[in-house]
Amino acid sequence: MRILVQMKIGFPVMLAVLKEERDDVEMVRGALETLVGALTPIEHAKGPKNEVQPALMNTDLLSREADSISLLLSLLSEEDFYVRYYTLQLLTALLTNSPNRLQEAILTIPRGITRLMDMLMDREVIRNEALLLLTYLTREAEEIQKMWVFEGAFEKIFSIIKEEGGSEGGVVVQV
């Protein structure tokens, strides 16, 4: 319970760092790493079924913060590799713990899907994280699937395949 109370107090502080300290890359990285840790389940011995799961509670707390998802998506335009990488990991943790809430938020944010799709053209590690996130994000969300197609996802994926020396002739993509 102590972790939850500390994070309930800490989320506004962490979000303030992400908003107001954008010039301090180390501080932003630290805040993102902390948030990723707070939303990632800790594997330990099975406890009682009614045991509080901090990762789920923290996901709920973060996703209820006004404009938190929009703020995270805005961090994807930062130049620092690790800021983008940790941001994608944080979005993936949010998606894992609360898929509907993240899907709804992304649908309401102007250029939300576009920002995620732009990461497909980034470095390989970022590209892989973005592709995984987009795959899971579109799995159950028909509206996001439509946006995915409209935004030219298949063209970007075929471009990546060509860039990496593959052939798009035998590729089967399921949406």
Side-chain angles (χ1 to χ4, degrees):
M1 213 46 164
R2 189 169 152 229
I3 293 172
L4 294 175
V5 172
Q6 289 174 345
M7 288 314 296
K8 187 171 185 172
I9 296 168
F11 278 126
V13 173
M14 293 293 163
L15 293 174
V17 167
L18 298 179
K19 284 180 196 172
E20 300 164 13
E21 302 295 333
R22 297 279 279 261
D23 292 338
D24 189 342
V25 175
E26 293 297 320
M27 200 166 196
V28 170
R29 279 186 198 167
L32 288 168
E33 278 185 281
T34 301
L35 290 170
V36 168
L39 272 59
T40 305
I42 299 170
E43 297 296 326
H44 59 281
K46 296 272 183 183
K49 291 199 183 236
N50 62 352
E51 182 179 6
V52 173
Q53 297 180 357
L56 295 177
M57 295 294 290
N58 289 332
T59 297
D60 188 54
L61 289 170
L62 180 61
S63 61
R64 286 182 186 212
E65 288 287 331
D67 300 325
S68 62
I69 307 301
S70 180
L71 174 62
L72 292 174
L73 290 175
S74 76
L75 290 170
L76 293 174
S77 63
E78 292 294 320
E79 288 185 31
D80 186 73
F81 171 83
Y82 289 103
V83 168
R84 293 190 315 274
Y85 180 72
Y86 292 137
T87 300
L88 285 171
Q89 285 189 327
L90 186 53
L91 289 167
T92 300
L94 283 166
L95 181 63
T96 301
N97 296 335
S98 183
N100 292 336
R101 194 171 284 169
L102 183 63
Q103 290 166 346
E104 289 169 12
I106 287 179
L107 284 171
T108 63
I109 297 169
R111 296 186 26 92
I113 289 292
T114 304
R115 288 182 187 170
L116 290 172
M117 288 187 49
D118 287 347
M119 293 295 100
L120 292 175
M121 305 316 284
D122 209 312
R123 290 184 183 179
E124 185 176 332
V125 174
I126 298 287
R127 177 184 296 163
N128 292 343
E129 289 287 323
L131 190 54
L132 285 171
L133 177 62
L134 283 163
T135 300
Y136 292 124
L137 189 62
T138 58
R139 186 170 280 162
E140 301 290 326
E142 191 173 312
E143 283 300 311
I144 293 177
Q145 290 173 6
K146 290 176 188 175
M147 292 174 76
W148 163 272
V149 172
F150 181 74
E151 292 287 336
F154 295 118
E155 291 82 6
K156 288 182 181 183
I157 291 171
F158 291 141
S159 171
I160 292 167
I161 291 168
K162 283 181 182 178
E163 181 181 304
E164 293 184 4
S167 167
E168 61 187 74
V171 174
V172 176
V173 180
Q174 180 179 356
V175 176

